[in-house]
Amino acid sequence: MTAPDVNYLMPELGVALAAVLVFVADLLLPSSRRKLLGPIAALLLLAVFTMTFFVDSSGSDAHGTLFGGAGPLYFQRLFLGAAVIGILGGLEHVERQTHWRQGEYYFLLLCSLLGMMILPGARDLILLLIAFELMGIPLYVLAAFEPGEKAGDVQGKRASEAGLKLFMVGSASTAITLFGLSLVAGLAGGTSMAALHAAPATPLFTIGEMFILAGIAFKLGVAPFHMWVPDTYEGAPGPFVSFLAASPKAAGIAALCALFLCGFGGVSASWQPAVEGLALVTMAVGSLLAIPQHNLRRLLAYSGVAQVGYLLIAFATGTAGGVAMVLFFAVTYVATNAGIFLVAHAVAVDTGDETDAGLKGLAGRSPWLALALLAFLLSLAGIPFVAGFWAKLYVFLIAWQAGLYWLVAAGASLSVVSLFFYLLLARAAYLVEPTNKTPARVAPGLRVAIIACLIAVVGIGLYPAPLLDAAQAAAQSFLIPIH
Amino acid sequence: MNLQACLLLSSGLFCVGLYGLLTRRNAIGILLSIEVMANAANLNFVAFSRYSGAGYGQVFALFVLALTVAEVAVGLALVMALFRSHRDALVELASAFRH
Amino acid sequence: MMSTASWALMALFAPAAAALILAVVAPLRRRLIFSVGISLLGVITSLASAIMVVVGYAANLVPVELTVPWLTSAGRPFLDAGVHIDGISAPMLVVVAFVALCVQIFSIGYLDDEKAPSLGRYFAYQSLFLFSMQLLVLAPNLMQLFFGWEMVGATSYLLIGYWYAKPSAARAAVKAFWITKLADMGLLMGLILLVQNTGGFSWTAHLEPGIATAITLLLFVAVMGKSAQFPLHIWLPDAMEGPTPVSALLHAATMVAAGVFLVVRADPLFAQAPDTRMFMAYLGAGSALFAGLLALVQTDLKRVLAYSTCSQLGYMLAGIGAGSATAGFFHLTTHAFFKALLFLAAGAIIHAVGSNELSRMGGLAKKMPMTAFVFILGSLSLAGVPGLAGFFSKDLILETVVEQQLWLPAVALMLTAFLTALYMGRVILLAFFGPRVSEGHPHDPHFAMALPLLLLAIPSLAVGYFGHWIAGLSGNEYSFHITTTGIVASSLGLAGFGFSWVIWRKHPAEEPAPMRALAAFAKRAWVDNAYRFIYRRGLLLVASWAAWVDRYIVDALINACGALFIGGAGRARRIQTGNVRDYLFAVSLGALCLTAWGLWR
């Protein structure tokens, strides 16, 4: 391999190097200095993030296996940003709860991130599968990452249940995906996307596609593969949930784009109805089941499920505009959900109450935290002028143009239903008198992370044009035919 | 033995795994069933590879083996955590979060 | 050397930064010195940059536009945000910043007995208002203008309701807000029509004649609301409940002038709709006369000035309706200075006397000679006495109207010129001369209030002589020459003053018989009453039916749906059993259904 070939791989290599550095630093640092590991990891990732603006974005490839270019870079920047926010948001929690194993936590997080970084550019089934699992397996461990060494410990019970549910559903989905992959690769006579693209659409091929779709649907939390989502979010460590709820879903979208647009783009008629059906079921399940929830993370988990439903509407169009809107939606989704889960975590840490009752009178106690919450809620509800508004508007517009009228109608009515529980949360924060006036204590790292999300959500809301342009450019790299 | 027969065999193996997945109550049993399903996929890879003459299927199968090993290692650790915190490996014990 | 566009950006964002700092950093807001300092710094920067913009623009007279794409539609730019500098926005920028500066300085003295935290709020609002106004003035398209327009409306609500504990102020703020919002619907609908027909928000678009009339009429509805034209003028007198400096800034010089500014700005659109222009000329002249009559019988000093503002805005619109945007804009500029001067002088009087009522004033000329001098100067300028600012701009409007042979508006405007002098003469005689009735020891204001009065007095005197320069900025010719129209108008103005002297010289408290009749007839209540009648008999009746339908049919349906959803969801959540084996079952079933669905389609 000559030097220019490596250039576009720099972000992936950077993350791998960062993971190794954190691992080594963990071994070298005395235990009193281990709290530096988080900032080190965040700084390294920021450096990689900066580097993404200097790499070759022309779209070179390594023998058809891994592509660079605008699309993968778009996703990589998103993952890096989300990972930095996730690390910053969890600095204090990780140090307090799992002081001895901090290095492990960050190393696993970076490994998962490395898997995500490879995913959007992967154009070969083997690489795609490895990246997908590299992302997934560390998450199983991280979900169970709480101090629960003693038998019968409550926190240990919660964390092991969260991890187990994620693992069980995840590995069953992987097995189903593997079977699908074996059928698809066998019928196409190769593992490259080019081979898949050339394969004829036989019924057996369609079965394979559907099995693969089921595996990605698990990662995206699409109903009926979503059932781990609320349980895991409720039990896993708070700041980790803000990472889990954002990045892996975006990575799932990247995998969906890489596989179904580059690989199965030629036989889109075979999977579009299935995606439409999934979108409908997901929106309905997410919006309706969120209504009776009182645990904040559980409620937000269902709301996240519903959001992915909206995203699938745009994906079901299969047009260039639709894909661009999927990418645009992914960014607003990550910024909003990472932010709101961090706010929920901050409130839970401060009040010790994980239900919506903890939000009562938040505006009177911490106006800025309440304002951030309000911005994220408005973004989820799709109200101008925050990021979620444009995302929802453009998704509905593009789906309407593509003729998916019934999906748009269902999505619009379900988003009215979802207004109900979003506004209830806003009401609790703003219209209920606080019982005590002491301002909420928010740790500095968490505060920086929330502010970063807030800036992203409001910034995109006020000035969406640059992100739209970037999304449109990125969508092209998933749509150009591969030979 | 032709390709169809191999595919039928692997589908049967997959269904056996699926049946185990749905009926086992013990976490170890579920893990084993998932392994059976993954191996059904492996059988497919190898069979397709054998009958088309290309080597990609065998490579894929090797990678799948490695991946499932990693997955099972993590899975067994989680089962251990379950066993420690709940004094048993029955999965329905871990149902504090619901509705 | 900064470019003209960067100066414009500075003029726009300096007050925004001041407002943001005051809003975000609470400790700064609580200390008077910081809140005043930051706010003044913002407005002075804005004024200095605005002057640089005019200087830069006047050097080569080429319009400058700096925009960034804000929204895209299907990959194409759809809506830009930025600044547009031409012969209209550049001078307006200076006028707005200059008046805002004077008003803010004046406020320091006027509101000296307010508590520091609430003054911090006041100055944050002032800075926000200035930003909104500059956003409107610099808009490169009608949509950004609309954003500025709405922000101006919202900040005006905050400023009128500054004394929110006072019920009448709170009510006036709400009234102003609702009436202007009602009118703004016109602007919004006009913009929607415009974008439907042209695919953009440009004011230079070419339109079909019918569409042009429809769009411009809709825009004009919003102008009527903002610029307080009959019959949407009723909010302006009530808005006098706010602090007097606020009235000077919003209800004399800048915000109400935004309506006129929109018409000047969208002149290429209005030029395609002669019918709308005709309507504008007649309505403007009618409003001018009507408000002039009402101003004559007010007993509250600020209300006289408020009606006078309605009347003068009518003048501007009549001039623009007659086809000369330059005339309207020229009068807008001169009026901004002398009316702000009048309001601030009135503020000084109110501050000294402690009341708005004319009956509580009298003989103030001896006690407050400086205030009396600038007030009389402003009045003379307003009444169009030859040589002062108001004379030149008013003369240009009248000439245009006469030239176009719009005889009815011309007569109405002539009568208004007479009335203007009459009611200003009345106010001067009642407040400054006549027997002394005012209590306490009124005296000329101290430095912070005196300085802005003197600052404003200069342009009230002199800005009329810069007419050809202001017209030249937008590429128009204007030179003053004496015409019959001018002579008639100024004689009418002088006659008005003479008349007022005859009537009110001896017995200021006693109103002559025709005045009493006019007062009884034209108590502004009847327009309010008409609204109240329409509201009670029409809207409320319809509303009560609608309420019935809403309560017993729509609500019932929604409640039923809500109960269904909540009940259904309450049951459906049981699916989530908590047992991971059921989740595995769901995954398997899901994969099976997906495959079946995929194969079947």
Side-chain angles (χ1 to χ4, degrees):
Chain A
M1 201 184 280
T2 49
D5 276 337
V6 166
N7 180 289
Y8 76 99
L9 276 175
M10 292 308 265
E12 288 93 330
L13 293 177
V15 171
L17 189 66
V20 173
L21 281 178
V22 167
F23 186 74
V24 173
D26 184 34
L27 295 177
L28 295 181
L29 283 178
S31 72
S32 59
R33 293 287 172 80
R34 284 211 183 120
K35 64 178 177 210
L36 291 176
L37 286 170
I40 289 175
L43 277 179
L44 287 171
L45 291 188
L46 266 183
V48 179
F49 183 81
T50 320
M51 196 165 70
T52 57
F53 291 93
F54 299 101
V55 301
D56 175 20
S57 63
S58 57
S60 38
D61 66 293
H63 311 290
T65 305
L66 184 63
F67 273 66
L73 270 177
Y74 180 90
F75 271 114
Q76 283 169 351
R77 283 171 196 152
L78 174 62
F79 299 146
L80 286 166
V84 171
I85 286 171
I87 289 175
L88 287 180
L91 280 181
E92 292 83 5
H93 181 87
V94 173
E95 209 227 320
R96 192 173 58 243
Q97 297 285 347
T98 47
H99 175 77
W100 290 100
R101 299 190 293 161
Q102 285 185 77
E104 219 174 299
Y105 180 88
Y106 295 117
F107 176 66
L108 287 170
L109 199 81
L110 291 183
C111 285
S112 181
L113 178 64
L114 179 60
M116 293 178 200
M117 299 287 287
I118 298 169
L119 259 185
R123 293 291 181 273
D124 185 283
L125 286 184
I126 298 178
L127 186 64
L128 196 86
L129 179 71
I130 291 171
F132 204 70
E133 290 298 301
L134 182 56
M135 164 180 78
I137 293 174
L139 295 179
Y140 302 146
V141 186
L142 287 171
F145 210 83
E146 284 280 5
E149 300 299 322
K150 294 191 293 291
D153 184 80
V154 177
Q155 253 176 338
K157 266 189 177 172
R158 289 169 57 103
S160 71
E161 179 172 342
L164 188 80
K165 281 180 170 166
L166 176 58
F167 171 77
M168 285 293 173
V169 181
S171 54
S173 300
T174 306
I176 294 173
T177 312
L178 279 176
F179 198 76
L181 284 175
S182 70
L183 288 179
V184 166
L187 290 172
T191 56
S192 69
M193 294 294 163
L196 295 189
H197 207 266
T202 57
L204 203 56
F205 194 79
T206 308
I207 292 175
E209 275 177 49
M210 290 302 124
F211 276 24
I212 296 171
L213 185 58
I216 298 177
F218 148 77
K219 197 58 91 192
L220 285 174
V222 167
F225 310 94
H226 72 288
M227 296 181 96
W228 62 276
V229 173
D231 292 7
T232 302
Y233 286 11
E234 193 179 342
F240 170 67
V241 172
S242 76
F243 178 76
L244 179 68
S247 297
K249 285 198 181 180
I253 294 159
L256 202 61
C257 290
L259 205 48
F260 280 78
L261 295 174
C262 301
F264 306 140
V267 289
S268 57
S270 64
W271 52 262
Q272 267 167 355
V275 174
E276 285 167 29
L278 284 180
L280 182 68
V281 176
T282 307
M283 285 187 302
V285 166
S287 306
L288 294 180
L289 288 188
I291 295 174
Q293 302 303 332
H294 286 290
N295 182 295
L296 211 47
R297 281 199 230 154
R298 221 175 157 74
L299 193 160
L300 294 175
Y302 280 115
S303 115
V305 168
Q307 300 282 325
V308 173
Y310 298 123
L311 186 144
L312 286 184
I313 297 181
F315 193 77
T317 61
T319 60
V323 177
M325 287 316 123
V326 168
L327 301 193
F328 182 77
F329 197 110
V331 174
T332 65
Y333 173 88
V334 167
T336 311
N337 277 277
I340 199 162
F341 273 104
L342 287 175
V343 172
H345 172 64
V347 172
V349 167
D350 183 60
T351 61
D353 189 347
E354 289 194 354
T355 66
D356 49 7
L359 292 179
K360 276 184 185 159
L362 187 63
R365 299 175 52 218
S366 305
W368 283 97
L369 199 58
L371 188 71
L373 176 78
L374 185 68
F376 298 140
L377 283 174
L378 293 181
S379 179
L380 286 172
I383 289 168
F385 284 89
V386 275
F389 167 69
W390 301 114
K392 222 174 233 180
L393 178 73
Y394 283 126
V395 163
F396 286 162
L397 274 181
I398 211 92
W400 189 267
Q401 281 166 6
L404 301 173
Y405 306 118
W406 56 277
L407 261 185
V408 173
S413 16
L414 284 167
S415 51
V416 173
V417 172
S418 64
L419 263 183
F420 174 72
F421 50 83
Y422 292 135
L423 293 186
L424 271 186
L425 294 186
R427 208 194 87 173
Y430 272 89
L431 298 183
V432 181
E433 284 295 312
T435 43
N436 67 332
K437 284 275 187 184
T438 50
R441 290 177 308 277
V442 183
L446 187 54
R447 188 176 305 194
V448 171
I450 292 176
I451 291 173
C453 293
L454 185 63
I455 290 173
V457 167
V458 175
I460 296 170
L462 290 178
Y463 189 35
L467 185 62
L468 272 175
D469 293 344
Q472 263 150 0
Q476 289 309 316
S477 39
F478 292 108
L479 293 164
I480 42 172
I482 299 156
H483 304 289
Chain B
M1 202 156 136
N2 58 9
L3 182 59
Q4 269 78 9
C6 280
L7 290 186
L8 274 179
L9 176 64
S10 72
S11 305
L13 203 57
F14 187 79
C15 290
V16 169
L18 197 60
Y19 177 77
L21 185 74
L22 298 180
T23 52
R24 293 286 117 189
R25 296 170 64 207
N26 192 299
I28 305 278
I30 295 178
L31 268 182
L32 282 174
S33 311
I34 290 172
E35 281 305 295
V36 172
M37 287 162 78
N39 278 317
N42 264 348
L43 193 57
N44 265 351
F45 278 128
V46 177
F48 273 120
S49 189
R50 165 79 179 74
Y51 286 99
S52 69
Y56 66 90
Q58 279 135 20
V59 177
F60 212 140
L62 281 176
F63 273 107
V64 169
L65 279 179
L67 279 179
T68 45
V69 166
E71 206 169 57
V72 165
V74 171
L76 282 175
L78 284 169
V79 173
M80 283 294 288
L82 176 75
F83 188 83
R84 263 205 244 172
S85 57
H86 293 81
R87 295 262 161 239
D88 206 331
L90 290 182
V91 286
E92 60 250 47
L93 286 179
S95 55
F97 310 129
R98 54 181 160 178
H99 304 318
Chain C
M1 190 63 207
M2 278 165 75
S3 72
T4 311
S6 356
W7 283 117
L9 285 177
M10 188 111 123
L12 177 63
F13 284 113
L20 193 68
I21 291 170
L22 286 180
V24 171
V25 192
L28 291 181
R29 201 167 58 227
R30 295 201 192 96
R31 291 284 304 278
L32 185 62
I33 181 80
F34 288 127
S35 58
V36 170
I38 291 171
S39 187
L40 277 183
L41 193 66
V43 65
I44 289 171
T45 316
S46 185
L47 178 61
S49 321
I51 291 171
M52 291 309 291
V53 169
V54 172
V55 171
Y57 173 73
N60 51 11
L61 295 184
V62 178
V64 180
E65 194 166 279
L66 178 72
T67 58
V68 287
W70 188 61
L71 284 185
T72 50
S73 159
R76 277 176 296 115
F78 172 64
L79 180 54
D80 293 345
V83 293
H84 177 90
I85 300 149
D86 60 9
I88 302 164
S89 59
M92 188 73 182
L93 210 55
V94 177
V95 172
V96 170
F98 181 71
V99 175
L101 175 64
C102 292
V103 164
Q104 289 199 8
I105 298 174
F106 188 85
S107 305
I108 303 170
Y110 189 79
L111 296 169
D112 53 1
D113 50 355
E114 291 286 315
K115 289 194 183 62
S118 83
L119 260 186
R121 189 162 54 87
Y122 175 82
F123 279 104
Y125 292 164
Q126 281 272 0
S127 298
L128 186 62
F129 174 80
L130 182 57
F131 166 66
S132 322
M133 198 65 207
Q134 306 288 48
L135 188 72
L136 185 158
V137 168
L138 285 169
N141 54 51
L142 289 176
M143 198 63 200
Q144 184 180 328
L145 192 144
F146 178 68
F147 275 103
W149 182 278
E150 290 298 322
M151 278 176 65
V152 163
T155 31
S156 105
Y157 166 79
L158 294 173
L159 282 168
I160 297 173
Y162 171 65
W163 284 313
Y164 56 81
K166 196 163 106 186
S168 59
R171 239 192 339 264
V174 172
K175 186 173 179 181
F177 194 70
W178 280 116
I179 301 270
T180 47
K181 279 301 140 268
L182 189 72
D184 289 352
M185 294 308 293
L187 181 50
L188 192 60
M189 284 192 283
L191 286 181
I192 291 172
L193 263 186
L194 183 67
V195 79
Q196 259 188 353
N197 282 287
T198 67
F201 296 98
S202 164
W203 56 68
T204 51
H206 286 281
L207 295 164
E208 313 255 318
I211 296 292
T213 309
I215 290 174
T216 47
L217 272 179
L218 283 169
L219 295 188
F220 189 61
V221 170
V223 172
M224 283 161 63
K226 203 68 144 190
S227 290
Q229 293 298 292
F230 180 85
L232 296 177
H233 66 282
I234 54 166
W235 65 270
L236 186 59
D238 287 7
M240 295 298 129
E241 291 293 344
T244 307
V246 169
S247 310
L249 180 62
L250 273 66
H251 307 127
T254 57
M255 187 185 85
V256 289
V260 179
F261 181 80
L262 170 62
V263 180
V264 176
R265 188 35 109 198
D267 195 50
L269 289 183
F270 281 87
Q272 299 172 51
D275 294 343
T276 312
R277 274 191 163 177
M278 209 42 60
F279 177 65
M280 188 156 49
Y282 277 89
L283 191 96
S287 275
L289 182 61
F290 176 76
L293 275 173
L294 290 184
L296 200 53
V297 293
Q298 299 303 316
T299 57
D300 177 320
L301 174 57
K302 282 180 75 181
R303 280 177 186 265
V304 174
L305 294 178
Y307 278 112
S308 158
T309 305
C310 289
S311 173
Q312 295 304 309
L313 291 165
Y315 246 98
M316 300 172 203
L317 289 173
I320 302 171
S324 171
T326 313
F329 187 66
F330 188 24
H331 196 48
L332 168 64
T333 317
T334 57
H335 175 260
F337 292 121
F338 61 68
K339 190 51 77 58
L341 172 64
L342 283 173
F343 261 107
L344 291 187
I349 296 171
I350 292 165
H351 192 67
V353 175
S355 168
N356 291 5
E357 287 298 315
L358 279 170
S359 57
R360 304 271 303 275
M361 301 163 189
L364 288 172
K366 291 210 184 81
K367 302 276 176 187
M368 314 173 68
M370 196 278 287
T371 313
F373 173 73
V374 291
F375 192 92
I376 292 170
L377 182 74
S379 306
L380 295 180
S381 186
L382 168 62
V385 168
L388 296 175
F391 165 73
F392 293 99
S393 52
K394 215 179 241 189
D395 179 60
L396 183 59
I397 289 179
L398 284 168
E399 264 179 46
T400 314
V401 175
V402 170
E403 219 168 73
Q404 295 294 316
Q405 306 190 328
L406 295 164
W407 298 119
L408 207 56
V411 170
L413 293 180
M414 288 289 187
L415 274 177
T416 311
F418 173 73
L419 281 172
T420 309
L422 192 62
Y423 63 68
M424 285 321 291
R426 169 172 172 261
V427 167
I428 292 169
L429 287 169
L430 290 189
F432 294 109
F433 302 101
R436 220 200 107 222
V437 289
S438 48
E439 295 145 22
H441 298 284
H443 52 83
D444 262 335
H446 58 77
F447 180 71
M449 284 158 81
L451 176 69
L453 292 180
L454 295 174
L455 277 179
L456 281 167
I458 300 165
S460 301
L461 254 176
V463 84
Y465 297 100
F466 292 92
H468 69 280
W469 186 73
I470 293 176
L473 282 181
S474 44
N476 291 316
E477 291 288 325
Y478 162 74
S479 60
F480 176 72
H481 35 80
I482 298 169
T483 58
T484 333
T485 318
I487 294 169
V488 172
S490 12
S491 341
L492 275 171
L494 292 174
F497 276 120
F499 228 76
S500 69
W501 198 65
V502 171
I503 300 175
W504 285 288
R505 174 180 49 118
K506 288 279 175 56
H507 307 288
E510 261 179 50
E511 302 286 354
M515 280 283 293
R516 282 201 299 275
L518 182 65
F521 169 74
K523 275 269 183 220
R524 72 181 174 88
W526 67 263
V527 182
D528 273 338
N529 281 344
Y531 277 111
R532 204 163 293 143
F533 182 80
I534 295 171
Y535 177 68
R536 289 232 172 103
R537 283 294 144 80
L539 285 178
L540 271 194
L541 208 62
V542 174
S544 65
W545 297 338
W548 188 87
V549 172
D550 182 58
R551 186 170 314 144
Y552 293 102
I553 298 177
V554 178
D555 263 16
L557 276 177
I558 288 184
N559 284 344
C561 281
L564 201 70
F565 277 135
I566 293 172
R571 248 163 251 241
R573 68 192 290 199
R574 305 262 150 212
I575 295 171
Q576 189 88 10
T577 56
N579 187 346
V580 75
R581 291 178 58 209
D582 297 323
Y583 301 179
L584 293 175
F585 182 71
V587 168
S588 318
L589 195 67
L592 196 69
C593 290
L594 203 56
T595 312
W597 174 251
L599 284 178
W600 180 62
R601 287 302 295 258

